Amino acid sequence: MADTPFSDPIAHARPTGDGKFELHLLPDHLRKVATLAREFAKAFGGGDWAHLAGLWHDLGKFRPRFQKYIRNATGFEADAHIKGELGRAPHSTAGALLACDRFGPAGRVLAYLIAGHHAGLYDWDSENSSLRSRLNLQDSRDELREAVAVAPPAEILDHGAFAPDLGAVPGGLNGFSMWVRMLFSCLVDADFLDTESFMDPDKSGRREGWPEIRELLAHFDRHMSSLADSLEDKADPTPVNRLRADVLRQCREKAAQAPGLFSLDVPTGGGKTLSSMAFALEHAKQHGKQRVIYVIPYTSIIEQTADVFRKIFGDAVIEHHSNAETEPGGETHKSRLACENWDAPVVVTTNVQFFESLFAARTSRVRKLHNIVNSVVVLDEAQLLPPEFLQPILDALNLLTLHYGVTVVLCTATQPALATQRYFDRGMRGLDGVREIISDPEALHRDLDRVTVRLPADWNAPVAWDALAGELAAHPSVLTIVNQREHARELHHLMPAGTLHLSALMCGAHRKHVIDRIKERLREGQPTRVVSTQLVEAGVDLDFPVVYRAVAGLDSIAQAAGRCNREGRLERGEVVVFVPPQSDPSGLLRKGADSCKKVLHDYSGNPLSRERFSDYFRHFYHACNLDKHKICHLLKVDGDSLAVNFRTAAGNFRLIQDEDQVSVIVLYRGPNGDDNTVDGLIGQLGKSGPGGGPQRWLMRKLQRYTVSVPRRDAARLLAQGDLEEPSRTRDAPSRASAARLLAQGDLEKPVSGLFVQKNDTLYDATLGLITDGAPPPSRKPRHIREEP
């Protein structure tokens, strides 16, 4: 089917069978994208900009070269217009050039949007990404000339009464880069959606039919009523349950306040999760907000929170993070579609997804941004906002609340000091005007104070592991939290038999089984000793009578205390802070511990009092570079040239710096060793053809069986034959060569992004992945009495 004549320029072609195609006329596509983009952007005053970007984004498709390409192509699919765009028929520069020709430097706003609508936002001028250089190419000028020579419809080329007014940019020069990314989101989502509605109408139709906020609030009210009726102490509530009910009441009442910045300062165990959702839904209903976005710091706790909300709201909840599972074929399910652009009433996501999307340049990441506008964003465990990115994050939150109709709730038991402040040598642009939802947080903290914290008599005197193990063995049930995986393993070795272990060297499925077992044993009153890293400190609802915590940041000590006497069943729980034998390596852990020592040294009051946290965070933030990766500098616009380094900033804004880490699929076969789920998944990964290979649903299932390890460790294990690549090709390097290249950083991870455990003994049923070559110890020290 070559050189078939068509009378009109087309944007896409959809096969209908028998070698025939239905045609998506180019002028229709441009008009529809323009209309959708304007609708998306009108909420923040950018409708006219987005409309013109939509009209001109595919202007280059009018050129004969593109028309010939699309007529000669066969087997079109929904995203066919993306693949190989630059190599086959470039078409995204013509509209960018036209905007610069028409409007001068102001046209560069449209140029950023149009030129990047496939490849992502460019830097204006950098070594690796230069929009200026691309616009100056003769090929780009030829693209525009050839497209205009075809005489596109006048209403496409005519910009009408549009007059660029950069004086109306939300936030002025400080808000320019956010504004451009928001406009870019409107354009790319409109382009994706209109293309999808033509190429796959059934898929497009599945995006509709979400419940309204008021419907979700009714579901929530019914759930809370049922929950209250089911409490064992309904007639005479415990003090903790009375306080939780009062927190819920205040959240509902304060939701009527004007949108903006709020804090929910409630101690751990005070019912923050459900109460914050109550505030968000009531606030959204009363102020016409479109959705609730619940942002959680770790993937290890997001599933627990999403499950809570899903029991209340059903399919209205989408869970967007790296571990979210879908079944084979689930790519077409409504929830999967909504993950693409967050077009759902309740979104549960991670700090990584939320904040990296806010600073992203890639189309797949950016397209959801316009759906953050006019929403309620709950930042759970706000004290865990990453310090080295804190300044650009605070700037973004200020812009969202001031100019994009977003209400932000900082939800935490240890409110960080995020107000604007001046340090000795520098300042922090903070969040000012934050309103506290709880009327008297001091009183609430006092009423929910259920533990006594015992601090080290000498902050410089470490406790030996064997001495600590002997002390812990005297407690039938105790949780001990350390800062490093190696410390957890060493201390666990010294503990009595039956002690449970938790660390990130255990895969997610393994950790879940252990946490479930801990909860069951605690419920049944069985002796339960646990040695864990800090992964239990956020969102894992455990209730121990005694908790030991290695010296760390004061917020970490408070989170550990939240796992002690959580339900208030004891008169007082006991939290013991100890100095471990080895100090933490330099970095944020060390800075947190040092700041904690400064504010608690010679302090005789309650270490977990609210004023201590204010002092702690001021010391801690002063010790950190709050914009270590120079994001603010990269996104600062030049007022004359409108130069911004969008792509470089996006590349630098990575909350998890994992370049030196690789992922390993481990052979965890369940608590009894008879669950072969992971073997089946690995087998499917190695298959070719339909249903095999690194499909998205499969990779997400495998995430629950992965462990991240340093590249150097993976290289050694690969060389020893303990790891293998999921599928080796004939031209793949030898194992020894692959190990050397991996250690050097010259070997990319396999196509699947993973390595696979080959040696069965490499994964221990208690400790997880053994990376140092030492077998797990099988004999307990003599001085520790074993439990019968």
Side-chain angles (χ1 to χ4, degrees), residues 347-420:
V347 178
V348 183
T349 190
T350 58
N351 281 353
V352 170
Q353 280 289 343
F354 184 78
F355 289 112
E356 288 191 3
S357 294
L358 275 176
F359 291 89
R362 291 196 343 248
T363 57
S364 59
R365 270 272 170 100
V366 172
R367 69 178 289 196
K368 65 176 76 77
L369 288 195
H370 71 92
N371 279 326
I372 297 175
V373 175
N374 200 31
S375 65
V376 182
V377 174
V378 180
L379 297 178
D380 191 28
E381 307 293 356
Q383 79 281 357
L384 294 175
L385 291 174
E388 294 175 344
F389 295 93
L390 188 60
Q391 188 61 73
I393 284 174
L394 297 181
D395 289 345
L397 294 177
N398 272 321
L399 288 168
L400 288 174
T401 55
L402 290 172
H403 304 289
Y404 295 94
V406 176
T407 286
V408 172
V409 182
L410 304 169
C411 189
T412 174
T414 56
Q415 284 290 352
L418 295 179
T420 296

Coordinates of all heavy atoms in Angstrom, one line a residue, residues 347-420:
V347 N -5.9 9.9 44.5 CA -4.6 9.4 44.0 C -3.7 9.1 45.2 O -3.6 10.0 46.0 CB -4.0 10.4 43.0 CG1 -2.6 9.8 42.6 CG2 -4.8 10.6 41.8
V348 N -3.2 7.9 45.3 CA -2.2 7.7 46.4 C -0.9 7.4 45.7 O -0.8 6.5 44.9 CB -2.7 6.4 47.2 CG1 -1.7 6.2 48.4 CG2 -4.1 6.6 47.8
T349 N 0.1 8.2 46.1 CA 1.4 8.1 45.4 C 2.5 8.4 46.3 O 2.3 8.5 47.5 CB 1.4 9.1 44.2 OG1 2.5 8.9 43.4 CG2 1.4 10.6 44.7
T350 N 3.7 8.4 45.8 CA 4.9 8.5 46.7 C 5.5 9.9 46.5 O 5.3 10.6 45.5 CB 6.0 7.5 46.3 OG1 6.3 7.6 44.9 CG2 5.5 6.1 46.6
N351 N 6.4 10.3 47.4 CA 7.2 11.5 47.2 C 7.9 11.5 45.9 O 8.0 12.5 45.2 CB 8.2 11.6 48.4 CG 7.6 12.1 49.7 OD1 6.4 12.5 49.7 ND2 8.3 12.1 50.7
V352 N 8.5 10.3 45.6 CA 9.2 10.3 44.3 C 8.4 10.6 43.1 O 8.7 11.4 42.3 CB 9.9 8.9 44.2 CG1 10.5 8.7 42.8 CG2 11.0 8.6 45.2
Q353 N 7.2 10.0 43.0 CA 6.3 10.2 41.9 C 5.8 11.7 41.9 O 5.8 12.3 40.8 CB 5.1 9.3 41.9 CG 5.4 7.9 41.4 CD 5.5 7.9 39.9 OE1 5.2 8.8 39.2 NE2 6.1 6.8 39.4
F354 N 5.4 12.2 43.0 CA 4.8 13.5 43.1 C 5.9 14.6 42.8 O 5.7 15.4 41.9 CB 4.2 13.7 44.4 CG 3.5 15.1 44.6 CD1 2.2 15.2 44.0 CD2 4.1 16.1 45.2 CE1 1.5 16.4 44.1 CE2 3.4 17.3 45.3 CZ 2.1 17.5 44.8
F355 N 6.9 14.6 43.5 CA 7.9 15.7 43.3 C 8.7 15.6 42.1 O 9.0 16.6 41.4 CB 8.8 15.8 44.6 CG 8.0 16.3 45.8 CD1 7.8 15.5 46.9 CD2 7.5 17.6 45.8 CE1 7.0 16.0 48.0 CE2 6.8 18.1 46.9 CZ 6.6 17.3 48.0
E356 N 9.1 14.4 41.7 CA 9.9 14.3 40.5 C 9.0 14.6 39.3 O 9.5 15.1 38.3 CB 10.5 12.8 40.3 CG 11.6 12.6 41.3 CD 12.4 11.3 41.0 OE1 12.0 10.6 40.0 OE2 13.3 11.0 41.8
S357 N 7.7 14.4 39.3 CA 6.8 14.8 38.3 C 6.7 16.3 38.2 O 6.7 16.9 37.1 CB 5.4 14.2 38.5 OG 5.4 12.8 38.3
L358 N 6.7 17.0 39.4 CA 6.6 18.4 39.4 C 7.8 19.1 38.7 O 7.7 20.2 38.2 CB 6.6 18.9 40.9 CG 5.2 19.0 41.5 CD1 5.3 19.4 43.0 CD2 4.3 19.9 40.8
F359 N 9.0 18.4 38.7 CA 10.2 19.0 38.2 C 10.6 18.2 36.9 O 11.7 18.4 36.4 CB 11.3 18.9 39.2 CG 11.1 19.9 40.4 CD1 10.4 19.5 41.5 CD2 11.6 21.2 40.3 CE1 10.2 20.4 42.5 CE2 11.4 22.1 41.3 CZ 10.7 21.7 42.5
A360 N 9.7 17.4 36.3 CA 10.1 16.6 35.2 C 10.2 17.3 33.9 O 9.6 18.5 33.8 CB 9.1 15.4 35.1
A361 N 10.8 16.7 32.9 CA 10.8 17.2 31.6 C 10.2 16.2 30.6 O 9.7 16.6 29.5 CB 12.2 17.6 31.1
R362 N 10.2 14.9 30.9 CA 9.6 13.9 30.1 C 8.1 14.0 30.0 O 7.4 14.3 30.9 CB 10.0 12.5 30.6 CG 11.4 12.2 30.5 CD 11.7 10.7 30.6 NE 10.6 9.9 31.2 CZ 10.7 9.3 32.4 NH1 11.8 9.5 33.1 NH2 9.7 8.6 32.8
T363 N 7.6 13.8 28.8 CA 6.1 13.9 28.6 C 5.4 12.9 29.4 O 4.3 13.3 30.0 CB 5.8 13.6 27.1 OG1 6.3 12.3 26.7 CG2 6.4 14.6 26.2
S364 N 5.8 11.7 29.6 CA 5.1 10.7 30.4 C 5.0 11.1 31.8 O 4.0 10.8 32.5 CB 5.7 9.3 30.3 OG 7.1 9.4 30.7
R365 N 5.9 11.8 32.4 CA 5.9 12.3 33.7 C 5.1 13.6 33.9 O 4.4 13.8 34.8 CB 7.3 12.5 34.3 CG 8.0 11.2 34.9 CD 7.6 11.2 36.4 NE 8.0 10.0 37.1 CZ 9.1 9.8 37.8 NH1 9.9 10.8 37.9 NH2 9.3 8.7 38.4
V366 N 5.3 14.5 32.9 CA 4.7 15.8 33.1 C 3.2 15.8 32.8 O 2.5 16.7 33.3 CB 5.4 16.8 32.1 CG1 4.7 18.1 32.1 CG2 6.9 17.0 32.5
R367 N 2.7 14.9 32.0 CA 1.3 15.1 31.6 C 0.3 15.1 32.7 O -0.8 15.6 32.6 CB 0.9 14.0 30.6 CG 0.8 12.6 31.1 CD 0.4 11.5 30.1 NE -1.0 11.7 29.7 CZ -1.7 10.7 29.0 NH1 -1.1 9.6 28.7 NH2 -3.0 10.9 28.7
K368 N 0.6 14.6 33.9 CA -0.3 14.6 35.0 C -0.3 15.9 35.8 O -1.3 16.2 36.6 CB 0.1 13.5 36.0 CG 1.4 13.7 36.7 CD 1.8 12.7 37.7 CE 2.2 11.4 37.1 NZ 3.6 11.4 36.6
L369 N 0.6 16.9 35.5 CA 0.7 18.0 36.3 C -0.5 18.9 36.4 O -0.9 19.4 37.4 CB 1.9 18.9 35.9 CG 3.3 18.4 36.1 CD1 4.3 19.5 35.9 CD2 3.5 17.8 37.5
H370 N -1.2 19.1 35.2 CA -2.3 20.0 35.2 C -3.5 19.4 36.1 O -4.4 20.2 36.5 CB -2.8 20.2 33.8 CG -3.5 19.1 33.1 ND1 -4.8 18.9 33.2 CD2 -3.0 18.0 32.4 CE1 -5.1 17.7 32.5 NE2 -4.0 17.2 32.1
N371 N -3.4 18.1 36.4 CA -4.5 17.6 37.3 C -4.1 17.7 38.8 O -4.9 17.3 39.6 CB -4.7 16.1 36.9 CG -5.7 16.0 35.7 OD1 -6.6 16.8 35.5 ND2 -5.4 14.9 34.9
I372 N -3.0 18.3 39.1 CA -2.7 18.7 40.4 C -3.3 20.0 40.7 O -3.7 20.3 41.9 CB -1.1 18.8 40.7 CG1 -0.5 17.4 40.5 CG2 -0.8 19.3 42.0 CD1 1.0 17.4 40.5
V373 N -3.6 20.8 39.7 CA -4.2 22.1 39.9 C -5.6 21.9 40.5 O -6.3 20.9 40.2 CB -4.4 22.8 38.5 CG1 -5.2 24.1 38.6 CG2 -3.0 23.1 37.9
N374 N -6.0 22.8 41.4 CA -7.3 22.7 42.1 C -7.5 21.4 42.8 O -8.6 20.8 42.7 CB -8.4 23.0 41.1 CG -9.7 23.5 41.8 OD1 -9.6 24.1 42.8 ND2 -10.8 23.1 41.2
S375 N -6.5 20.9 43.5 CA -6.6 19.7 44.3 C -6.3 19.9 45.7 O -5.8 21.0 46.1 CB -5.7 18.6 43.6 OG -4.4 18.9 43.8
V376 N -6.5 18.9 46.5 CA -6.0 18.9 47.9 C -4.9 17.9 48.0 O -5.1 16.7 47.7 CB -7.1 18.5 48.9 CG1 -6.6 18.5 50.3 CG2 -8.3 19.4 48.8
V377 N -3.7 18.3 48.4 CA -2.5 17.5 48.5 C -2.2 17.2 49.9 O -1.9 18.2 50.7 CB -1.3 18.1 47.7 CG1 -0.1 17.2 47.9 CG2 -1.6 18.2 46.2
V378 N -2.2 16.0 50.4 CA -1.8 15.6 51.7 C -0.4 15.1 51.7 O -0.2 14.0 51.0 CB -2.8 14.6 52.3 CG1 -2.4 14.3 53.8 CG2 -4.2 15.2 52.4
L379 N 0.5 15.7 52.3 CA 1.9 15.2 52.4 C 2.0 14.5 53.8 O 2.2 15.1 54.8 CB 2.9 16.4 52.3 CG 2.9 17.2 51.0 CD1 3.9 18.3 51.1 CD2 3.2 16.2 49.8
D380 N 1.9 13.2 53.7 CA 2.1 12.3 54.9 C 3.5 12.3 55.3 O 4.4 12.2 54.5 CB 1.5 10.9 54.6 CG 1.4 10.1 55.9 OD1 1.1 10.7 56.9 OD2 1.4 8.9 55.8
E381 N 3.8 12.3 56.6 CA 5.1 12.2 57.2 C 6.0 13.4 56.5 O 7.0 13.1 56.0 CB 5.8 10.9 56.9 CG 5.0 9.7 57.4 CD 4.8 9.6 59.0 OE1 5.4 10.5 59.7 OE2 4.1 8.8 59.5
A382 N 5.5 14.6 56.7 CA 6.1 15.7 56.0 C 7.6 16.0 56.5 O 8.4 16.6 55.8 CB 5.3 17.0 56.2
Q383 N 7.9 15.4 57.7 CA 9.2 15.6 58.2 C 10.3 14.9 57.3 O 11.5 15.1 57.4 CB 9.3 15.1 59.6 CG 9.4 13.6 59.8 CD 8.1 12.9 59.7 OE1 7.1 13.6 59.6 NE2 8.1 11.6 59.9
L384 N 9.8 14.0 56.5 CA 10.7 13.2 55.6 C 10.9 13.8 54.2 O 11.5 13.2 53.3 CB 10.1 11.8 55.5 CG 10.1 10.9 56.8 CD1 9.5 9.6 56.5 CD2 11.5 10.8 57.3
L385 N 10.4 15.1 54.0 CA 10.8 15.7 52.8 C 12.3 15.8 52.7 O 13.0 16.2 53.6 CB 10.2 17.2 52.8 CG 8.7 17.3 52.7 CD1 8.3 18.7 52.8 CD2 8.2 16.7 51.4
P386 N 12.9 15.4 51.5 CA 14.3 15.2 51.4 C 15.0 16.6 51.6 O 14.8 17.5 50.8 CB 14.5 14.6 50.0 CG 13.3 15.0 49.3 CD 12.2 15.0 50.3
P387 N 15.9 16.7 52.6 CA 16.6 18.0 52.9 C 17.4 18.5 51.7 O 17.4 19.7 51.5 CB 17.5 17.6 54.1 CG 17.1 16.3 54.6 CD 16.3 15.6 53.5
E388 N 18.0 17.7 50.9 CA 18.9 18.2 49.9 C 18.1 18.7 48.7 O 18.6 19.3 47.7 CB 19.8 17.1 49.4 CG 20.8 16.7 50.5 CD 21.7 15.6 50.2 OE1 21.4 14.8 49.2 OE2 22.8 15.4 50.9
F389 N 16.8 18.5 48.7 CA 15.9 19.1 47.7 C 14.8 20.0 48.3 O 13.9 20.4 47.6 CB 15.2 18.0 46.9 CG 16.1 17.1 46.1 CD1 16.6 15.9 46.7 CD2 16.4 17.4 44.8 CE1 17.4 15.1 45.9 CE2 17.3 16.6 44.1 CZ 17.8 15.4 44.6
L390 N 15.0 20.3 49.6 CA 14.0 21.0 50.3 C 13.6 22.4 49.7 O 12.4 22.8 49.6 CB 14.4 21.1 51.8 CG 13.2 21.6 52.7 CD1 12.0 20.7 52.7 CD2 13.8 21.8 54.1
Q391 N 14.6 23.2 49.4 CA 14.3 24.5 48.9 C 13.5 24.5 47.6 O 12.5 25.2 47.5 CB 15.6 25.3 48.7 CG 15.4 26.8 48.3 CD 14.6 27.5 49.4 OE1 15.2 27.8 50.5 NE2 13.3 27.7 49.2
P392 N 13.9 23.7 46.5 CA 13.0 23.7 45.4 C 11.6 23.1 45.7 O 10.6 23.6 45.1 CB 13.7 22.9 44.4 CG 14.8 22.1 45.1 CD 15.1 23.0 46.3
I393 N 11.5 22.2 46.6 CA 10.2 21.6 47.0 C 9.3 22.7 47.6 O 8.2 22.9 47.3 CB 10.4 20.4 47.9 CG1 10.8 19.2 47.1 CG2 9.1 20.1 48.7 CD1 11.2 18.0 47.9
L394 N 9.9 23.4 48.6 CA 9.1 24.5 49.2 C 8.7 25.6 48.3 O 7.6 26.1 48.3 CB 10.0 25.1 50.4 CG 10.3 24.2 51.5 CD1 11.1 24.9 52.6 CD2 9.1 23.5 52.1
D395 N 9.6 25.9 47.3 CA 9.2 26.9 46.3 C 8.0 26.4 45.5 O 7.1 27.2 45.2 CB 10.4 27.2 45.4 CG 11.5 28.0 46.1 OD1 11.3 28.6 47.1 OD2 12.7 28.0 45.5
A396 N 8.1 25.1 45.1 CA 7.0 24.6 44.3 C 5.7 24.5 45.1 O 4.6 24.9 44.6 CB 7.4 23.1 43.9
L397 N 5.7 24.2 46.4 CA 4.5 24.1 47.2 C 3.9 25.5 47.4 O 2.7 25.7 47.3 CB 4.8 23.5 48.6 CG 5.2 22.0 48.6 CD1 5.5 21.6 50.0 CD2 4.1 21.2 48.0
N398 N 4.8 26.5 47.5 CA 4.3 27.9 47.6 C 3.6 28.3 46.3 O 2.5 28.9 46.3 CB 5.4 28.9 47.9 CG 5.7 29.0 49.4 OD1 4.8 29.1 50.2 ND2 7.0 29.1 49.8
L399 N 4.2 28.0 45.2 CA 3.6 28.3 43.9 C 2.2 27.6 43.7 O 1.3 28.2 43.2 CB 4.5 28.0 42.7 CG 5.7 28.9 42.6 CD1 6.8 28.3 41.6 CD2 5.3 30.3 42.1
L400 N 2.2 26.4 44.1 CA 0.9 25.6 43.9 C -0.2 26.2 44.7 O -1.3 26.3 44.3 CB 1.2 24.1 44.3 CG 2.0 23.3 43.3 CD1 2.3 21.9 43.9 CD2 1.4 23.2 42.0
T401 N 0.1 26.6 45.9 CA -1.0 27.1 46.8 C -1.3 28.5 46.5 O -2.5 28.9 46.6 CB -0.5 27.0 48.3 OG1 0.7 27.7 48.5 CG2 -0.4 25.6 48.7
L402 N -0.4 29.3 46.0 CA -0.7 30.7 45.7 C -1.3 30.9 44.3 O -2.1 31.9 44.2 CB 0.6 31.6 45.8 CG 1.2 31.7 47.2 CD1 2.6 32.4 47.1 CD2 0.3 32.6 48.1
H403 N -1.0 30.1 43.4 CA -1.4 30.4 42.0 C -2.1 29.3 41.3 O -2.6 29.5 40.2 CB -0.1 30.7 41.2 CG 0.7 31.9 41.8 ND1 0.2 33.2 41.7 CD2 1.9 31.9 42.4 CE1 1.1 34.0 42.3 NE2 2.1 33.2 42.7
Y404 N -2.2 28.1 41.8 CA -2.8 27.0 41.1 C -3.9 26.3 41.9 O -4.3 25.2 41.6 CB -1.7 25.9 40.8 CG -0.7 26.5 39.8 CD1 0.5 27.1 40.2 CD2 -1.0 26.5 38.4 CE1 1.4 27.6 39.3 CE2 -0.1 27.1 37.5 CZ 1.1 27.6 38.0 OH 2.0 28.2 37.1
G405 N -4.4 27.0 42.9 CA -5.6 26.5 43.6 C -5.4 25.3 44.4 O -6.4 24.5 44.7
V406 N -4.2 25.0 44.8 CA -3.9 23.7 45.6 C -3.9 24.0 47.1 O -3.4 25.0 47.5 CB -2.5 23.2 45.2 CG1 -2.2 21.9 46.0 CG2 -2.5 22.8 43.7
T407 N -4.6 23.2 47.8 CA -4.5 23.2 49.3 C -3.5 22.1 49.7 O -3.7 20.9 49.2 CB -5.8 23.0 49.9 OG1 -6.6 24.2 49.8 CG2 -5.7 22.6 51.4
V408 N -2.5 22.4 50.5 CA -1.5 21.4 51.0 C -1.7 21.2 52.5 O -1.8 22.2 53.2 CB -0.1 21.9 50.6 CG1 1.0 21.0 51.3 CG2 0.1 22.0 49.1
V409 N -1.7 20.0 52.9 CA -1.8 19.6 54.3 C -0.5 18.9 54.6 O -0.2 17.8 54.1 CB -3.0 18.7 54.6 CG1 -3.0 18.4 56.1 CG2 -4.3 19.3 54.1
L410 N 0.3 19.5 55.6 CA 1.5 18.9 56.1 C 1.1 18.0 57.3 O 0.8 18.5 58.3 CB 2.5 19.9 56.5 CG 2.9 21.0 55.4 CD1 3.7 22.1 56.0 CD2 3.7 20.3 54.3
C411 N 1.2 16.7 57.1 CA 0.6 15.8 58.0 C 1.8 15.0 58.7 O 2.5 14.3 58.0 CB -0.3 14.8 57.3 SG -1.3 13.7 58.3
T412 N 2.0 15.2 60.0 CA 3.1 14.6 60.6 C 3.0 14.6 62.2 O 2.2 15.4 62.7 CB 4.4 15.3 60.2 OG1 5.5 14.8 61.0 CG2 4.3 16.8 60.5
A413 N 3.7 13.8 62.8 CA 3.7 13.8 64.3 C 4.9 14.7 64.8 O 4.9 15.0 66.0 CB 4.0 12.4 64.8
T414 N 5.8 15.1 63.9 CA 6.9 15.9 64.2 C 7.1 17.0 63.2 O 7.9 16.9 62.3 CB 8.2 15.0 64.3 OG1 8.4 14.4 63.0 CG2 8.1 14.0 65.3
Q415 N 6.3 18.1 63.4 CA 6.3 19.1 62.4 C 7.6 19.7 62.2 O 8.3 20.2 63.1 CB 5.3 20.2 62.8 CG 3.8 19.8 62.5 CD 3.4 19.8 61.0 OE1 4.2 20.1 60.2 NE2 2.3 19.3 60.8
P416 N 8.2 19.7 61.0 CA 9.5 20.3 60.7 C 9.4 21.8 60.7 O 8.3 22.4 60.5 CB 9.8 19.7 59.3 CG 8.5 19.4 58.7 CD 7.6 19.0 59.8
A417 N 10.5 22.5 60.9 CA 10.5 24.0 60.9 C 10.6 24.4 59.5 O 11.7 24.7 58.9 CB 11.7 24.4 61.7
L418 N 9.5 24.6 58.8 CA 9.5 24.9 57.4 C 9.2 26.4 57.1 O 9.0 26.8 55.9 CB 8.5 24.0 56.6 CG 8.8 22.5 56.6 CD1 7.7 21.8 55.9 CD2 10.2 22.3 56.1
A419 N 9.0 27.2 58.1 CA 8.8 28.6 57.9 C 10.0 29.3 57.3 O 11.1 28.8 57.6 CB 8.3 29.3 59.2
T420 N 9.8 30.4 56.7 CA 11.0 31.2 56.2 C 11.9 31.6 57.4 O 11.4 32.0 58.4 CB 10.5 32.5 55.5 OG1 9.8 32.1 54.3 CG2 11.7 33.4 55.1

